[in-house]
Amino acid sequence: MTIDNELIDNLLKDYKKPEDIIGENGLLKQLTKQLLERAMAAELTDHVGYEKHDAAGHKSGNSRNGKSAKTLKGSFGTMPLEIPRDRNGTFEPQIIEKHQTRFTGFDQNIISLYARGLSTREIQQHLEEIYHVEVSPALISSVTDEVIEEVKTWQNRQLDAVYPIMYLDAIQFKVRDGGHVRNKAIYLAIAITVTGMKEVLGLWIAQTEGAKFWLQVVTELKNRGVKDIFIACVDGLKGFPEAIESVFPQTEVQLCIVHLVRHSLNYVGWKQRKEVAADLRRSTAPRPKRKPNKDWLTLASNGMRSFPPLQSPGAATGRA
């Protein structure tokens, strides 16, 4: 739909400052209100089957029955609307649905603030300061509770029986807990499906990272339908491989290349680390099938002579 430039010029003829357009009583808010009310009036015309004041509506079985007031909340603040009604009470507008009190996208603002760690009271204050909207704590809780139910459904969903590759790692995050900010470990399981798609299997939170908690994670994955993992890519956490093998005995546990390189650099002096890291990145890069990796030969013949500790079996596997 193309808007006539002459119409826009006519609307902006009294424009002097930004508040005239985006302010509390600005043009944008007034235009939105009128467009919504006109759209609902058009929907009612389609519902009853005749235009307003048209004689065709006489004894048609249904007719217009005035309007009801509704206040809509959104990023623009509050907006009073007049909702048209029909006498039979069967009209349900589509653009502003029945019982809808918040504009599309407003709930996402609440969820976004909640995800950033703000409390219910802090969200209430933020919405009032930024959007000049008074929202009750009960409303905020109801919005966040709906999301929590969806999260629980996602957390307990059934998984595939087989995953060729699974990456298991934990990330340290600062989390607001009981009015205090604390460091917590976010356990993350990401897998590659048999179709080659990457899938996040789950997220778990604990105080610290440990093999015992990882045992609980892999046990939960098995209870959700996973029967086999071909390769589990992990870091060098003590007891981690044993935790995986106790649940999935046939799984090949592989040390992550990033962790392997990082562990290998512990055997190199600070002055040579940049040079060795570059060689290790080239040597661990993906290669075409059956093509010899010349970088490994170069690293073995040249670099290894300067760094004897790298030749030890512990450095190659990342384990002591």
Side-chain angles (χ1 to χ4, degrees):
M1 180 183 295
T2 303
I3 300 177
D4 189 2
N5 289 331
E6 186 177 347
L7 174 61
I8 296 176
D9 293 337
N10 191 32
L11 290 171
L12 296 176
K13 65 180 181 180
D14 296 326
Y15 171 72
K16 294 181 180 179
K17 55 185 182 300
E19 287 74 13
D20 293 339
I21 296 180
I22 59 177
E24 177 65 21
N25 297 308
L27 175 64
L28 187 59
K29 187 173 181 179
Q30 296 179 43
L31 191 59
T32 302
K33 171 182 169 65
Q34 293 191 34
L35 285 173
L36 290 175
E37 290 178 345
R38 289 288 184 89
M40 287 186 286
E43 289 180 6
L44 179 60
T45 297
D46 181 70
H47 179 73
V48 297
Y50 64 91
E51 295 289 341
K52 192 173 183 179
H53 306 305
D54 193 333
H58 185 61
K59 296 183 179 180
S60 63
N62 195 8
S63 60
R64 290 172 171 80
N65 189 30
K67 299 175 181 178
S68 60
K70 172 184 284 192
T71 299
L72 204 63
K73 297 176 181 178
S75 58
F76 44 74
T78 57
M79 178 185 295
L81 292 174
E82 293 185 339
I83 311 297
R85 301 178 302 187
D86 66 330
R87 191 164 296 280
N88 292 346
T90 56
F91 173 60
E92 294 187 5
Q94 299 300 310
I95 192 167
I96 301 295
E97 296 181 357
K98 204 170 184 179
H99 308 301
Q100 179 181 342
T101 58
R102 301 184 298 278
F103 202 69
T104 303
F106 189 66
D107 286 2
Q108 281 67 28
N109 290 337
I110 296 177
I111 294 168
S112 177
L113 295 171
Y114 183 74
R116 285 171 170 79
L118 272 69
S119 66
T120 301
R121 297 291 178 181
E122 289 171 334
I123 295 174
Q124 181 186 22
Q125 293 172 5
H126 178 83
L127 295 175
E128 187 172 355
E129 291 172 3
I130 302 300
Y131 301 121
H132 306 287
V133 178
E134 293 184 5
V135 180
S136 67
L139 172 61
I140 297 172
S141 297
S142 66
V143 172
T144 54
D145 287 345
E146 290 178 6
V147 178
I148 290 173
E149 289 302 319
E150 293 182 11
V151 170
K152 288 180 179 179
T153 301
W154 178 81
Q155 288 176 330
N156 297 314
R157 75 193 189 283
Q158 283 296 109
L159 302 175
D160 294 346
V162 177
Y163 288 100
I165 303 174
M166 186 178 295
Y167 302 94
L168 302 168
D169 201 359
I171 307 173
Q172 297 294 326
F173 273 99
K174 293 187 181 297
V175 179
R176 185 185 292 274
D177 183 10
H180 300 280
V181 177
R182 296 185 174 92
N183 286 327
K184 290 194 176 184
I186 311 295
Y187 289 71
L188 179 63
I190 300 177
I192 305 299
T193 67
V194 292
T195 58
M197 300 297 293
K198 187 181 292 185
E199 179 183 355
V200 177
L201 305 184
L203 295 155
W204 300 264
I205 300 178
Q207 296 295 334
T208 57
E209 183 182 9
K212 288 185 178 179
F213 194 90
W214 274 119
L215 178 60
Q216 298 177 31
V217 170
V218 293
T219 301
E220 180 182 325
L221 294 176
K222 184 176 182 178
N223 293 335
R224 288 168 57 191
V226 180
K227 295 181 179 179
D228 194 13
I229 304 168
F230 293 168
I231 299 174
C233 190
V234 303
D235 59 13
L237 181 67
K238 186 177 180 180
F240 198 173
E242 290 77 11
I244 297 172
E245 291 167 357
S246 65
V247 181
F248 299 102
Q250 303 300 318
T251 298
E252 181 72 25
V253 180
Q254 175 181 304
L255 188 66
C256 170
I257 292 296
V258 175
H259 289 87
L260 178 63
V261 171
R262 187 183 302 165
H263 183 80
S264 299
L265 293 177
N266 290 334
Y267 296 87
V268 181
W270 283 102
K271 292 183 179 180
Q272 294 83 19
R273 281 197 174 191
K274 186 177 292 187
E275 177 187 351
V276 175
D279 289 338
L280 287 172
R281 277 196 296 269
R282 287 194 299 269
S283 62
T284 55
R287 300 283 168 174
K289 190 175 181 180
R290 296 183 180 178
K291 184 175 180 180
N293 192 337
K294 296 180 180 179
D295 289 314
W296 269 120
L297 300 176
T298 303
L299 184 62
S301 60
N302 298 328
M304 292 291 190
R305 296 173 186 174
S306 302
F307 314 108
L310 285 176
Q311 301 181 43
S312 67
T317 60
R319 300 183 187 178

